[in-house]
Amino acid sequence: MKTKLLPFLALLPLFAPSFSAATEAPATPIVADDDTPLGECMDAINKAMRGMRRKIGEAENFAECLKAVQTIQAKSIEAKGYDPVKLAEAEGDEAKAKFRMEYRMKMHEFLNRSFELEVALMKGDVEAVGKAYKALVSAKRPAHKAFKAKTKKD
């Protein structure tokens, strides 16, 4: 019973509305991105991607990579429900709504690329796995530039 219920529960946040309230925040965030639930999700995603990086090129590692992709998907779905710290920089309700929508759309794009990687891994197609992994990695940098708050070292 648990195995049939688990995939349903993992997809539930996709259909639930985001209930995070927009509150007045200072112009400069007092919390780093990494100190938030969103930051914790992103850390887990990065850890899974780093673990996959060395193994992705060999078919005998695909089962391990598949587990990492499933972690990436679960944490991405969770992260999609949180607001980035950088949201506080948007002025006005319209700007905040637009920023939130763009963030969620990028998370959807990232999730779609992770699903493509998952399918390639399940098929065992080494060439398709390589392309899908590169596409997943390439989605990360522009999204971080757009949605991650600048820190002192940036």
Side-chain angles (χ1 to χ4, degrees):
M1 180 67 180
K2 285 184 181 179
T3 57
K4 291 181 182 179
L5 186 59
L6 190 57
F8 173 76
L9 291 176
L11 292 175
L12 189 59
L14 285 173
F15 303 104
S18 176
F19 292 104
S20 55
T23 58
E24 288 294 311
T28 38
I30 53 176
V31 176
D33 281 342
D34 297 340
D35 297 336
T36 65
L38 175 59
E40 291 172 11
C41 290
M42 294 300 173
D43 286 345
I45 291 168
N46 285 332
K47 183 179 178 183
M49 289 187 72
R50 278 193 313 270
M52 239 188 335
R53 182 177 40 217
R54 292 180 199 91
K55 300 174 185 170
I56 202 79
E58 299 181 26
E60 62 266 8
N61 297 324
F62 283 2
E64 269 184 84
C65 292
L66 192 57
K67 288 178 185 177
V69 168
Q70 291 166 346
T71 298
I72 290 167
Q73 291 167 349
K75 288 299 180 177
S76 295
I77 289 170
E78 183 181 346
K80 190 173 69 71
Y82 296 121
D83 289 332
V85 171
K86 194 172 180 178
L87 176 68
E89 295 174 15
E91 294 185 20
D93 291 340
E94 266 186 53
K96 287 181 191 283
K98 182 180 181 207
F99 182 90
R100 192 176 282 124
M101 181 193 68
E102 289 171 356
Y103 166 72
R104 291 177 65 89
M105 295 294 288
K106 282 293 184 187
M107 288 303 297
H108 278 274
E109 178 185 333
F110 186 77
L111 266 167
N112 286 335
R113 289 183 181 189
S114 74
F115 292 136
E116 291 168 5
L117 178 56
E118 180 181 27
V119 169
L121 285 165
M122 288 189 297
K123 288 182 177 179
D125 184 345
V126 177
E127 186 177 325
V129 166
K131 287 180 183 177
Y133 180 75
K134 286 179 184 175
L136 185 65
V137 170
S138 71
K140 195 168 91 168
R141 180 164 286 142
H144 282 182
K145 191 173 187 176
F147 303 110
K148 189 172 182 182
K150 291 190 185 280
T151 60
K152 289 180 183 179
K153 66 179 182 180
D154 290 340

